[in-house]
Each structure stands twice: as structure tokens, then as C-alpha cells.
Amino acid sequence: MWALVAAHRKSKQRSIGGNTARTAVTIALAGAATATGFDGIGHADPQLSPAQVKAKVDKLYEEAEVATQKYDGAKEKADRTEAHLGALRDEAARREDRLNSAREALGSMAAAQYRSGGLDPVVQLALSDRPDQYLEGAAFAERVGTRQSAEVAGVRKQLREIEQLRGAAHIELAALKSRQTELKQQKKVINEKLDAARRLLARLTPEQRTQYVERGGAGEQQHVSRSSARDLAPVAPSGTSGATSAGGATTAAPNSRAAAAVAYAYSKLGSPYVWGATGPDAFDCSGLAQAAYRSAGISLPRTTYSQINAGQRVTLSELRPGDLVFFYSGITHVGIYVGNGQMIHAPNPSAPVRLAPISEMPFAGATRVV
């Protein structure tokens, strides 16, 4: 009557997200069909100038980045929840195996008692051919009874522990379903923003689209003066590793791990932007930062909101290669500083991982991870 329920271990839980959640949404700008409006944000004015189109697209990408960071955060939590749920189920199954073994032992004891059974000890002693042997057997039976009581108590304890594990697994399953729902919601928002941006970009001429891609979708306004940007990489103490900027000048990273992160970022130049991706072949902005430091042996949180608090805050004038630089008031974009006012980042679906000035977006803060 006691059923084994360890069979669930034979079927593994399906990963949340994975390749499905990380399907490439890189926008094919060239050859996009012209559209007069887009769903979800109202109808666009057909008389928008190229500059207005670019501004609206920049805003849509920024909003998509916000949703991407929320998606990444929910994905990270869902992965942890799924792993914890699997561990709880495996532990419950192991304990049920042990419980079944204990029950079988109790059953054997009970059967033995039944077979020996029923006669009053005085009668058994009177009928025994070997009273001395019987007395020895009676003492043994008393010891077995004490042992049996302990076994019963152990079984009861195991039952309580298994029920607690099942309760914890039920809570984790509910949390996982909630995070799955959040993932779907954020995925929908991201796709709507990116579709709207694609339709707007289709209004531009091929030359205008090429220009937009070449500048990485950055706004026209420069948010940090270029004279300041040239002075953003003070020289580090001798003996530290260096990183080479786009102009050929070498600025020193504060340590070998920061230099390794910078080297990884350089090696990924040209990789496509894919929201939710953490490499090795495609990235979103925080995914690139996480992968770069993972290559250096350091584990970073998944989202920009958490990454900015993953190290020591530094000012613009203190920046050195390997520092993470964050943008926008909502801390929704991150790049890896490489020296001389430059960073490597995954901009948005219109452009691949690239080298860019940190002056092209509104600076929000910086963190030195190591």
C-alpha cells in the first residue's frame, strides 16, 4: 500500500527559455518592407523626418532594453527556482527509497512476531524442552521490541520530512509558474518594441539605414564632452595588464582579470545582438558583461540593475579598462570600458557588438568589478 514515487527522476524538467527564449530577433534592416504604422504604440505620422524616425527608434530600443533586463532577471530567477525544485524532488525521491527499505524491515519483524506467536510466555516456558534456551530467546525478543519501536519512530520522522519536502516543492513550483508568466509578458513587450522599430526603420532609405547602423543607433546628442572622454583613462601602476584602444594607445587595466575581460570583449566584436543571450556567439548588453567576466573567472549577476552593485563604484575620471559603464536613468544598458573614452558593448538589434565612445549615451555610473 506504500507506493514508490521516485519515478519522476526519470524525466527531467524542461529548461525555461533556452534556445526558444533566445531566438534571434536581430532586425534585418536592408530590404525591410515599408510600413505606414505599427501596432501597440499607435499609428506613426507618415510625415516624420529621418531625424524623427531615428529618435523614435532610439527610444523604442531603449524601452526594449528595459524589458530585456526584466526578462533576463526573471530568467535568472526561473533557472534558480527550477534547479531548486529539481533538487527538492530528487531529495524527496531518495528519502522515499530509504523509507520503503525501513518499511520492509518493519514488515519482516512483524511477520516474525506473528509466526512465533500468541502463546503466553509462562505457557511457552512450561512447554519448552529447553527452559534456559527459551529464557535467552525471550530476552532477545525484548531487545527486538525496543529496536522495533525505534524503527517505527524513524519511519514516522522520515514521513514528516518527506511531507515537508513536498510542501517546499509545491511552493517552488508555484514560484516557477509565476516567473514563466513574467517571462512571457516581457518577451511580448520586447517583440512589440522591436517590431515597431523595424517598421519605423523601413521608412528610411537604404543609405539612411546604413548610416543608422554605422553609428550604432546612438542618439545625435553627445552626453559626455569629447574633451572629457579623452582624459578618462588615467595610467595605472606599472606591472598591470594593458588594453589597446581603437586609436592604438595603450591604457592599463587595474589587474589581470580586468584585462582578461577586456580581451574577451575584443574577441567578440562583430557578434550579433540577441536579447536574452549570454554567448558565446550572441549577446545582449548585460550578457556580454557577464560572459566577459566569466571568462576571467568572476561570476557577475545577470542584469544591469544588479551588475552596477557588483563591485566598487568609480567616477568618470577614475575609469580604467575592465570597468563596467552604465547608461540611462534606469540603469538599463552596460558596456565594458576599454580605455581612451571607448567601450565595447552590444548596442541593440540594429548593430553587432562594437567599439563605441561612452559619450554616445547618457552616462549613469560605473563599477570596478575587481
Side-chain angles (χ1 to χ4, degrees):
M1 65 180 181
W2 301 97
L4 290 172
V5 292
H8 73 272
R9 287 181 293 177
K10 296 179 182 178
S11 59
K12 301 186 71 175
Q13 297 289 311
R14 293 188 66 186
S15 175
I16 307 305
N19 292 334
T20 301
R22 294 182 178 176
T23 51
V25 293
T26 305
I27 295 176
L29 299 177
T34 301
T36 58
F38 45 87
D39 298 330
I41 60 171
H43 293 288
D45 183 351
Q47 302 303 317
L48 288 176
S49 68
Q52 290 172 320
V53 168
K54 293 173 184 177
K56 283 183 175 290
V57 170
D58 285 346
K59 183 63 175 175
L60 285 166
Y61 280 150
E62 182 183 346
E63 292 169 352
E65 194 76 81
V66 172
T68 297
Q69 293 306 309
K70 290 180 179 178
Y71 174 92
D72 290 344
K75 178 69 168 60
E76 183 179 45
K77 291 177 181 177
D79 288 345
R80 286 200 303 264
T81 301
E82 188 176 21
H84 191 206
L85 176 60
L88 286 171
R89 286 174 165 169
D90 285 345
E91 179 62 20
R94 284 191 293 268
R95 294 200 181 203
E96 287 180 2
D97 287 343
R98 293 198 295 268
L99 176 62
N100 286 331
S101 297
R103 285 169 173 160
E104 289 174 1
L106 278 177
S108 298
M109 287 183 186
Q113 287 181 357
Y114 178 80
R115 287 192 299 268
S116 69
L119 288 176
D120 182 271
V122 175
V123 176
Q124 291 186 45
L125 179 61
L127 296 176
S128 174
D129 293 333
R130 297 284 305 274
D132 56 338
Q133 194 174 59
Y134 170 79
L135 289 173
E136 290 176 0
F140 174 75
E142 184 178 354
R143 289 195 300 272
V144 169
T146 302
R147 177 188 167 197
Q148 184 175 356
S149 296
E151 293 288 342
V152 170
V155 166
R156 287 174 177 168
K157 180 182 178 183
Q158 289 181 64
L159 281 169
R160 288 194 299 268
E161 290 174 345
I162 289 172
E163 286 307 311
Q164 289 172 352
L165 285 169
R166 286 173 175 167
H170 180 76
I171 293 172
E172 290 295 298
L173 182 59
L176 181 59
K177 289 180 178 178
S178 174
R179 282 159 187 159
Q180 288 175 322
T181 299
E182 184 180 356
L183 285 172
K184 291 178 181 177
Q185 291 172 342
Q186 297 305 328
K187 181 178 180 180
K188 181 174 182 291
V189 171
I190 293 165
N191 284 328
E192 286 176 350
K193 300 294 182 182
L194 297 181
D195 286 345
R198 174 183 56 79
R199 287 192 281 267
L200 274 174
L201 285 167
R203 294 167 171 262
L204 302 177
T205 65
E207 292 78 13
Q208 289 169 334
R209 288 197 296 270
T210 299
Q211 182 184 26
Y212 183 89
V213 171
E214 286 177 348
R215 68 182 179 85
E220 300 284 345
Q221 181 182 2
Q222 299 301 308
H223 299 277
V224 179
S225 69
R226 296 192 182 278
S227 60
S228 298
R230 284 194 298 268
D231 300 324
L232 292 179
V235 177
S238 60
T240 55
S241 301
T244 303
S245 71
T250 299
T251 55
N255 53 62
S256 59
R257 287 188 169 183
V262 169
Y264 180 91
Y266 270 105
S267 75
K268 297 303 176 180
L269 288 173
S271 299
Y273 177 104
V274 175
W275 63 266
T278 59
D281 301 317
F283 306 87
D284 61 21
C285 69
S286 55
L288 176 62
Q290 187 184 53
Y293 270 97
R294 184 170 58 238
S295 75
I298 295 175
S299 177
L300 281 184
R302 179 64 182 92
T303 66
T304 53
Y305 318 122
S306 299
Q307 288 175 355
I308 196 171
N309 296 316
Q312 176 187 353
R313 295 289 188 93
V314 292
T315 65
L316 272 171
S317 62
E318 296 171 328
L319 285 178
R320 289 182 183 173
D323 292 346
L324 299 181
V325 284
F326 299 87
F327 303 92
Y328 302 107
S329 59
I331 318 295
T332 56
H333 192 75
V334 62
I336 301 167
Y337 187 68
V338 296
N340 292 346
Q342 302 285 308
M343 67 176 171
I344 293 175
H345 72 140
N348 56 56
S350 75
V353 174
R354 67 195 304 159
L355 190 70
I358 66 171
S359 59
E360 72 177 16
M361 289 179 286
F363 181 79
T367 291
R368 183 161 300 150
V369 178
V370 291

